[in-house]
Amino acid sequence: MTETTKTAPALTGERADLLEQLAKSRFFLRFTANELTDRQAGHRSTVSGLTVGGLIKHVASVEKTWVDFILEGPSAMPDFSAMTEADFAARENDFRLLPGETLEGVLAAYAEVAARTDELVATLPDLDAAQPLPKAPWFDQDAKWSARRVLMHIVAETSQHAGHADIVREAIDGTKSMG
């Protein structure tokens, strides 16, 4: 008896474009960590508190939360309008490697998040499905975002932080992602 395996058809169009841009943005972010030690990945090399490892950790966390939002709606996110200064200060831990965290672990967690997102992009029945945004001072009241809009936001967030990581990495040892 022979088993046959059905292969899913290759994605085309918008979904393929989203996956390609996500992959490119993720590549540049991960590339900034290439050959860094855990110490270097957690090193603040500029006046900001940003580190290469912390930026990767943050992007993974944000991507996971936004994918949860696509699937579960605003309950997947906190009510930002009710957060205190202490809550926001605690969120700063998203941007740094904490004791016991390693670059390898952060990259592995990011790979898991990315795989989940990619699977969602490939299989979500409707990219137009929208959810109301959580309460936050930076969102318009009663605004909704479609899954498509959220995915574009993930691409933008990843690209922006890849640029931050590139600057942080260059200040560590002169290595650049591009140029």
Side-chain angles (χ1 to χ4, degrees):
M1 176 182 263
T2 349
E3 280 189 45
T4 58
T5 306
K6 283 191 174 182
T7 305
L11 292 176
T12 59
E14 178 180 27
R15 291 173 194 263
D17 290 345
L18 283 167
L19 289 173
E20 182 180 339
Q21 193 57 50
L22 278 166
K24 182 180 276 188
S25 298
R26 290 176 185 139
F27 168 82
F28 283 114
L29 178 59
R30 285 190 314 265
F31 187 80
T32 63
N34 194 32
E35 298 182 9
L36 287 181
T37 65
D38 288 340
R39 183 174 179 185
Q40 289 172 313
H43 177 69
R44 290 178 48 195
S45 62
T46 66
V47 295
S48 80
L50 300 178
T51 69
V52 171
L55 283 162
I56 294 168
K57 178 181 166 183
H58 168 73
V59 170
S61 173
V62 167
E63 184 171 323
K64 180 192 178 308
T65 301
W66 278 112
V67 168
D68 290 346
F69 170 81
I70 290 171
L71 297 170
E72 302 166 25
S75 65
M77 299 177 120
D79 177 352
F80 295 101
S81 65
M83 290 178 72
T84 65
E85 289 298 319
D87 294 329
F88 281 109
R91 289 176 58 90
E92 290 300 312
N93 285 335
D94 236 15
F95 284 97
R96 60 181 140 260
L97 293 180
L98 299 176
E101 292 180 327
T102 64
L103 178 58
E104 181 181 2
V106 169
L107 287 167
Y110 187 34
E112 288 178 19
V113 168
R116 179 178 178 234
T117 303
D118 292 352
E119 178 68 20
L120 181 70
V121 171
T123 61
L124 190 69
D126 183 7
L127 293 176
D128 289 322
Q131 301 276 12
L133 289 172
K135 291 182 182 178
W138 49 86
F139 292 136
D140 292 334
Q141 189 174 3
D142 301 324
K144 291 183 177 187
W145 277 10
S146 68
R148 174 184 298 99
R149 175 66 183 89
V150 171
L151 293 166
M152 291 184 336
H153 179 72
I154 292 169
V155 167
E157 176 99 5
T158 305
S159 297
Q160 178 180 13
H161 289 313
H164 294 144
D166 188 46
I167 292 167
V168 170
R169 173 62 189 262
E170 186 175 353
I172 290 171
D173 64 4
T175 300
K176 300 176 189 177
S177 308
M178 298 178 71

